[in-house]
Amino acid sequence: MTELTSYFILAFSSLFTLVNPIGLSPVFLSMVDHCDDKERQKIALKGVLTALVVLIIFTFLGRLVFSFFGITVSGFKIAGGILFFRTGIQMLEARVPRTRSTPKEETEAGTKEEIAYTPIGIPLIAGPGAISSVMIFSSEAENWEYKLVLLGVITLVMGLTYFIFQMADNLAHRFGTIGLRITQRIMGLILMVIAVEFVISGIEPIILGWMQ
């Protein structure tokens, strides 16, 4: 397996698990319960496109943010790993992380346009975890080839998110609430393992630096 393939697999598994479109399907359905099928499709598309633009922006601004604030990649990996681990625990408990949306945000999003952009686009889909993830992987992109792979991963995950939101009704009927929660818990466990790997990879260069 090449390094580029490993990069793709890790980036895809991390971002897809963090976005967690399967676990978010019931939340999406509850927000668009008052809309017909055509309106749901438009809201889902606008929400996904909003999240796509935000994640792409942070992909290119990652290095700039690091240099501006004097943040090291190792430090961001450790902080990101802790955030991912916390999100994974919440997913294991089948809860929507409070960093994704709040009851106040959901009630204040009065119009369908506002619901699409926030809280569905931000922070439901493009939450702190997803943003941190693309910034970390962007900082690890050795050249434009890796950057293009990351952009492809973001586009693929957003496309799958849109497709899953379109199938949300069928998923809810076929798997039921229990089935969706089981899936969410499995993804939460995977995310916790990824989080531990991020923390280890962040601590390792720091320890090696101390030993020199």
Side-chain angles (χ1 to χ4, degrees):
M1 186 182 294
T2 64
E3 289 185 6
L4 197 62
T5 304
S6 300
Y7 179 84
F8 169 82
I9 292 172
L10 183 58
F12 175 79
S13 59
S14 300
L15 186 59
F16 184 81
T17 307
L18 280 163
V19 174
N20 187 23
I22 297 174
L24 290 180
S25 293
V27 182
F28 172 74
L29 287 175
S30 67
M31 289 183 182
V32 297
D33 186 53
H34 59 288
C35 304
D36 57 37
D37 291 339
K38 196 170 184 180
E39 288 172 335
R40 288 183 185 184
Q41 185 175 354
K42 286 183 179 179
I43 290 172
L45 180 60
K46 288 179 180 178
V48 167
L49 287 176
T50 300
L52 176 65
V53 171
V54 169
L55 293 178
I56 289 176
I57 288 173
F58 277 98
T59 296
F60 287 101
L61 290 181
R63 289 186 181 274
L64 181 62
V65 171
F66 287 163
S67 60
F68 182 79
F69 289 103
I71 301 171
T72 63
V73 176
S74 297
F76 201 83
K77 274 186 174 182
I78 295 170
I82 294 170
L83 176 63
F84 299 166
F85 195 86
R86 178 173 174 269
T87 303
I89 291 175
Q90 292 173 326
M91 289 169 67
L92 274 176
E93 296 172 352
R95 292 189 288 120
V96 177
R98 290 300 301 273
T99 54
R100 304 292 282 279
S101 65
T102 64
K104 186 178 179 181
E105 286 175 324
E106 294 177 17
T107 55
E108 284 183 349
T111 66
K112 291 162 187 168
E113 290 288 330
E114 290 172 343
I115 291 173
Y117 301 128
T118 178
I120 291 177
I122 310 168
L124 202 62
I125 300 174
I131 291 172
S132 300
S133 177
V134 298
M135 287 179 67
I136 290 172
F137 283 109
S138 176
S139 68
E140 292 186 330
E142 298 176 359
N143 50 49
W144 277 100
E145 195 175 17
Y146 281 82
K147 194 81 81 175
L148 288 173
V149 169
L150 180 57
L151 291 175
V153 166
I154 295 171
T155 305
L156 177 59
V157 171
M158 291 300 102
L160 289 172
T161 301
Y162 175 71
F163 175 75
I164 290 170
F165 278 4
Q166 291 300 301
M167 300 292 292
D169 270 324
N170 292 333
L171 287 172
H173 288 127
R174 180 165 295 185
F175 295 103
T177 304
I178 294 176
L180 291 175
R181 284 181 179 174
I182 290 172
T183 304
Q184 184 172 343
R185 287 189 171 104
I186 293 172
M187 294 180 71
L189 181 61
I190 294 171
L191 180 58
M192 289 172 71
V193 175
I194 293 173
V196 172
E197 292 290 341
F198 267 72
V199 172
I200 291 173
S201 64
I203 292 175
E204 186 177 8
I206 296 175
I207 294 176
L208 290 175
W210 288 343
M211 293 175 65
Q212 290 178 353

